[in-house]
Amino acid sequence: MSPSCPMCTKWLDEPEFRIAELEHTRVMLNRDQFFPGYTFVFTREHVTELFHLSPPVRQGVMEEVTAVAAALYDLFQPAKMNYELLGNMVPHMHWHLVPRFATDPLWPRPIWSEPHAETLLAPEEYAGRIALIRDRLGL
């Protein structure tokens, strides 16, 4: 864990958005729900590149990313799941898993193609969405 890394500290700083702590990753709902179900999956270990992981850990990470994406897909029924793994601004391996709908205002462009106002939910709405995702993950 790197105390200067926002992904390393996110789990402790934002407990209200925690979905699951898996073997290799942590899963959190994004505060901004402009794209319903937008979720982060990030490695528990502070690494920046897939090739920094041993093959078995890399496979485990990818299985967990895939399981979360499948749960989001089953729950939200999007037209497409977007998987973003960049790391330029936050150098800690993390995926943005974003259910995309043909009705969303930015469809079919990337989610960062233009600014948008944040969609914030009431605490009970976040908790409800998190509970549904946990249930789909079988937790």
Side-chain angles (χ1 to χ4, degrees):
M1 182 165 147
S2 172
S4 63
C5 171
M7 289 313 285
C8 283
T9 60
K10 190 173 191 63
W11 189 256
L12 297 175
D13 294 343
E14 300 178 8
E16 68 274 23
F17 299 113
R18 292 178 189 168
I19 295 171
E21 189 166 23
L22 305 174
E23 182 178 356
H24 303 289
T25 62
R26 291 183 173 120
V27 183
M28 296 182 76
L29 195 65
N30 186 19
R31 176 186 312 273
D32 180 6
Q33 287 292 291
F34 181 84
F35 300 99
Y38 185 159
T39 297
F40 296 110
V41 179
F42 53 99
T43 54
R44 292 173 62 158
E45 180 183 351
H46 181 82
V47 296
T48 59
E49 307 297 338
L50 280 168
F51 58 80
H52 290 160
L53 300 171
S54 68
V57 172
R58 183 170 51 243
Q59 182 176 346
V61 166
M62 294 311 300
E63 290 297 325
E64 291 174 12
V65 169
T66 302
V68 174
L72 293 172
Y73 185 86
D74 289 347
L75 184 58
F76 292 96
Q77 296 292 299
K80 177 70 176 83
M81 281 298 304
N82 283 187
Y83 303 74
E84 308 271 349
L85 172 62
L86 302 171
N88 299 334
M89 293 178 67
V90 179
H92 181 130
M93 190 180 309
H94 66 284
W95 283 260
H96 299 250
L97 297 183
V98 187
R100 294 297 304 273
F101 303 88
T103 55
D104 85 44
L106 300 181
W107 180 265
R109 295 170 290 145
I111 64 170
W112 293 293
S113 62
E114 65 183 74
H116 64 269
E118 282 189 329
T119 299
L120 302 178
L121 306 179
E124 61 274 6
E125 291 174 295
Y126 286 116
R129 195 164 283 183
I130 288 166
L132 289 171
I133 297 167
R134 280 185 186 143
D135 185 59
R136 290 292 171 148
L137 286 170
L139 303 174

